[in-house]
Amino acid sequence: RNAQRHCQHFVNISAMVAFGTGPSSCRRLISPSTLPIIPASLSVLSYNVLLPNSQDGWWNYKMYLPPLGPGEDFSTWEYRKSLLRERIGLVDADVVCIQEVSPLSFESDFAFMTDDLGYDGVELFRKGRFRPATFWKKDRVELANPAQHKDRTLLTSFRLVEEGVEDTKDKKDDYWHVLNCHLQAGKQGGRRVRQIVEGVTTAFKTAKNKLKEKDPENMKLIVCGDFNGGPECGAVGYLEKGSIGPDFLEDGERVSSKEKALPISPLVDAVSANGIDRGGAPPPATLVVPELISLMIRENDVTAYMDPHFSKEVLDRLHRIYFRFATVPAPEVSSDEPAKLQMGKADVVQWLTVINLRVGRGTEFRNAARFMGWVEPPLESDQQDGESTKVEKNERPPICIPDDGVLTLEDFVGVYLDELRQGKFWGIAWDLAALGESLPVKDVFRARYDRMYCSSSLIPAAVLDTISDVACPNASEPSDHLPVCASFVQKPKV
C-alpha cells in the first residue's frame, strides 16, 4: 500500500483525476466502505465512541431509548467494541482520532486497535475522565515531534513513510499535523474558543519553531473531533472565518473579549468542500439522537442551557412517579387537610434501584442524599494538639441516605431539574420510561457536532459519509455520534 501512496507529485495529480478527485471535486463514499488508496495522501478517521463502559460509564444503558429489554445486550462494551472494531478496520485510515475514552480501561478497551487492526502507534491524552486518543499505523506515518497535550486537544505531527527510505537525513521535511479535539460541552462557548485557538496556535508554532518548516503559513494541518457545537459555535466560526471577536455571541454571551485571528488562512470544511455531490443535501449529521428538548422544557424558555424549566407534561409525570413511591406521612398542616405522603429512605432506595440499578452512584443519588440532610464532612479536622489534618477524598465517609431523612416533592423535582440543567435529557427520558411514564418521543435531533477541517494547502480527495435515519446508539451504532472520515492530498503548486 505504501508504494502506491508515495509516488511523485505528477502521479499524485493523475491519480486524483482517475479517482474523480481533482481540485474541483472530491470523491464521496457511503459507509460501510473503505477509503481509497491515493498516492501521497493522509487519511483520517475521527470518532466520538461514547465512553467505554467496561469499568466506567455505567450509565450508558440510559442512552438507549426506549429502554433495552431482556437479552438485548447492545449497550455492553463487548458488543459495542465489536461494532467499533469492524467499522474502524473497514475504513482503514492512516490516523484514527478517538474521543471519549476512559483512562481506567484504555489499554484493554482498545487493545484490538493494535492486535487486530495494526495501529501500533498511540498517544493517550494525559488527564481527564473523558479523554481523546490518537492511533496511527507506523508503516504509513511516523511521529515527527512529541505529541502535545493542551486543553482538550491533542496534537500529533507526522511524516509520511517513504518506501525504501530509512535514514532520517534522507527523509523529506514534509510534515502533516493532526489536531484531535474534544471541546468542552454545555454553555461553555468561550472555553471552546480558547481551546481551539490554543490548539491551532500550538500546531503553527510547532511547524514554525520546532520543525522549522520553510512555509509554516501553508502548513498541512487537519483539525478534527467533537466540537460540541454546530455552525452557531464560536470555535467553528473561528476556523471557517479566520477570526473571532467580541461581537460574536453564543448562548447570549461573548466568547472572546478581543479579536483573535488564525495564524494561517481560514480552514476548509472537509466534508462540504470541493463540490461533493450529495444531490443538494447537506453533509450528514454526526449526532443523531431522540429529540427530547422540545418535550422537556417550557415553550417560552430560550434554550435548554439558559435556566430551563420543565414543561407541564414532564412535571405531571414526575408528580405521579413521586406519589407512587411515597409512603411516609408528612407533618399535618391542619386537621382539615388530608394527610400527604413523602418519600422516606426506603422509598428513595426503591426509586434509585429502578433508575440506577443500585444505590450509591449517579447525581440523582448524591443530590437526593443532600436534600435529605446528608452533609459532607469538612476538609480539615482539628486534632487534640491543636494542629489540623487534611482529610483526603478517598478517606472521607461515603455519601449515604440519612435514616430519618425525607425527600419532598419539591426536592424530587429539584433532583431532575439539576439533571436537566446539566444537559442530561437522555437520562431523564430513560428514567421516565423505566418508571412507567414515557414521553411521546417521535422525532430525531440531528446536528453536525463532529467535524473535520484542513488547511488551505490541502485538498480533501475523498470523504466517507456515515448515515443513520434512526436515533443512536442502537443495535447497529455503538455511539450517539457517527464518525467523520476523509483522505487529503497536498494542493498542487501553481
Side-chain angles (χ1 to χ4, degrees):
R1 178 166 180 144
N2 286 337
Q4 292 176 287
R5 294 172 70 248
H6 303 290
C7 302
Q8 296 298 319
H9 192 63
F10 75 93
V11 179
N12 175 23
I13 302 302
S14 299
M16 289 170 59
V17 174
F19 277 117
T21 55
S24 63
S25 66
C26 176
R27 184 179 180 187
R28 180 202 180 208
L29 302 97
I30 299 176
S31 182
S33 186
T34 301
L35 287 170
I37 298 172
I38 303 174
S41 69
L42 183 72
S43 56
V44 180
L45 181 153
S46 177
Y47 206 164
N48 181 325
V49 297
L50 180 61
L51 188 68
N53 49 330
S54 56
Q55 291 188 37
D56 201 352
W58 62 266
W59 61 86
N60 277 355
Y61 63 86
K62 292 191 179 188
M63 305 292 289
Y64 293 74
L65 198 67
L68 299 177
E72 293 182 309
D73 61 352
F74 311 144
S75 69
T76 66
W77 176 241
E78 284 305 311
Y79 184 93
R80 295 171 54 217
K81 181 169 67 173
S82 67
L83 295 179
L84 289 170
R85 181 193 298 112
E86 180 179 1
R87 172 166 287 161
I88 295 172
L90 180 62
V91 173
D92 194 26
D94 302 326
V95 178
V96 176
C97 296
I98 288 177
Q99 300 87 43
E100 207 164 301
V101 305
S102 170
L104 299 178
S105 53
F106 175 73
E107 290 185 4
S108 58
D109 286 343
F110 292 94
F112 71 88
M113 291 290 290
T114 300
D115 297 344
D116 301 338
L117 305 183
Y119 288 93
D120 45 359
V122 60
E123 184 75 19
L124 173 65
F125 195 70
R126 289 176 183 159
K127 59 183 180 180
R129 186 180 185 182
F130 299 69
R131 302 188 188 184
T134 300
F135 295 85
W136 62 93
K137 295 192 174 184
K138 291 182 179 179
D139 64 338
R140 300 184 190 175
V141 295
E142 62 180 3
L143 202 61
N145 190 66
Q148 298 186 69
H149 304 241
K150 297 300 178 180
D151 185 9
R152 297 177 72 100
T153 65
L154 176 60
L155 177 68
T156 44
S157 301
F158 299 105
R159 285 190 189 95
L160 301 184
V161 171
E162 298 178 72
E163 193 73 16
V165 178
E166 296 183 1
D167 195 329
T168 302
K169 66 181 182 181
D170 293 331
K171 294 178 180 178
K172 298 177 182 177
D173 291 336
D174 190 20
Y175 302 108
W176 297 66
H177 307 269
V178 179
L179 187 66
N180 182 357
C181 310
H182 190 186
L183 305 186
Q184 185 65 44
K187 193 181 178 183
Q188 297 283 339
R191 185 176 174 190
R192 284 190 287 273
V193 167
R194 291 192 296 273
Q195 289 169 337
I196 201 66
V197 169
E198 180 185 45
V200 173
T201 301
T202 298
F204 175 74
K205 289 181 177 179
T206 298
K208 182 178 181 180
N209 302 327
K210 295 186 177 182
L211 296 177
K212 307 296 183 182
E213 294 188 36
K214 295 179 181 178
D215 189 8
E217 286 76 14
N218 286 307
M219 63 186 297
K220 293 186 283 296
L221 172 64
I222 297 163
V223 179
C224 62
D226 181 0
F227 279 59
N228 269 306
E232 77 290 344
C233 175
V236 168
Y238 171 74
L239 293 182
E240 294 185 354
K241 297 177 182 178
S243 64
I244 196 82
D247 294 338
F248 189 97
L249 301 180
E250 186 175 342
D251 291 324
E253 296 181 356
R254 288 181 176 181
V255 297
S256 179
S257 60
K258 60 182 181 180
E259 194 75 17
K260 295 178 180 178
L262 272 170
I264 59 177
S265 300
L267 273 65
V268 176
D269 183 356
V271 302
S272 63
N274 293 355
I276 300 171
D277 183 11
R278 294 189 176 93
T286 63
L287 182 68
V288 183
V289 294
E291 201 294 295
L292 301 171
I293 295 177
S294 65
L295 299 172
M296 285 193 183
I297 67 173
R298 298 182 309 192
E299 289 185 8
N300 57 340
D301 285 350
V302 178
T303 75
Y305 294 111
M306 298 178 67
D307 193 29
H309 294 79
F310 280 124
S311 64
K312 182 179 184 301
E313 290 75 11
V314 172
L315 285 175
D316 288 345
R317 285 170 166 78
L318 290 175
H319 285 206
R320 289 194 294 268
I321 290 168
Y322 179 86
F323 287 112
R324 282 204 293 271
F325 282 98
T327 62
V328 176
E332 293 186 12
V333 178
S334 70
S335 57
D336 297 331
E337 295 184 10
K340 292 185 178 179
L341 298 177
Q342 294 179 320
M343 290 176 67
K345 179 177 180 178
D347 306 324
V348 170
V349 167
Q350 185 182 4
W351 159 61
L352 290 172
T353 302
V354 173
I355 63 169
N356 292 347
L357 307 185
R358 65 177 175 85
V359 178
R361 62 187 186 184
T363 49
E364 304 97 332
F365 160 71
R366 293 190 288 273
N367 285 333
R370 291 186 178 94
F371 279 133
M372 296 173 73
W374 180 83
V375 178
E376 185 173 6
L379 291 175
E380 294 185 349
S381 58
D382 292 330
Q383 305 298 310
Q384 290 183 353
D385 58 4
E387 296 183 359
S388 295
T389 303
K390 188 175 181 180
V391 178
E392 298 295 335
K393 267 190 174 183
N394 58 0
E395 297 175 351
R396 298 175 190 171
I399 299 174
C400 61
I401 300 172
D403 291 337
D404 58 351
V406 294
L407 186 66
T408 66
L409 173 60
E410 180 181 2
D411 290 341
F412 180 76
V413 173
V415 168
Y416 279 107
L417 191 57
D418 184 68
E419 299 292 293
L420 179 72
R421 290 171 179 170
Q422 291 184 54
K424 298 180 182 178
F425 315 108
W426 45 270
I428 299 170
W430 193 94
D431 286 7
L432 292 175
L435 294 165
E437 292 286 353
S438 299
L439 290 169
V441 181
K442 297 179 180 178
D443 298 326
V444 174
F445 173 81
R446 295 177 174 86
R448 193 157 67 93
Y449 282 9
D450 304 82
R451 291 172 171 262
M452 188 171 291
Y453 291 92
C454 66
S455 54
S456 59
S457 61
L458 298 175
I459 298 173
V463 298
L464 175 58
D465 287 350
T466 302
I467 301 168
S468 179
D469 295 324
V470 296
C472 304
N474 52 52
S476 301
E477 295 296 342
S479 173
D480 51 339
H481 292 253
L482 299 173
V484 183
C485 316
S487 295
F488 301 89
V489 296
Q490 188 169 357
K491 181 182 292 184
K493 294 181 180 180
V494 179

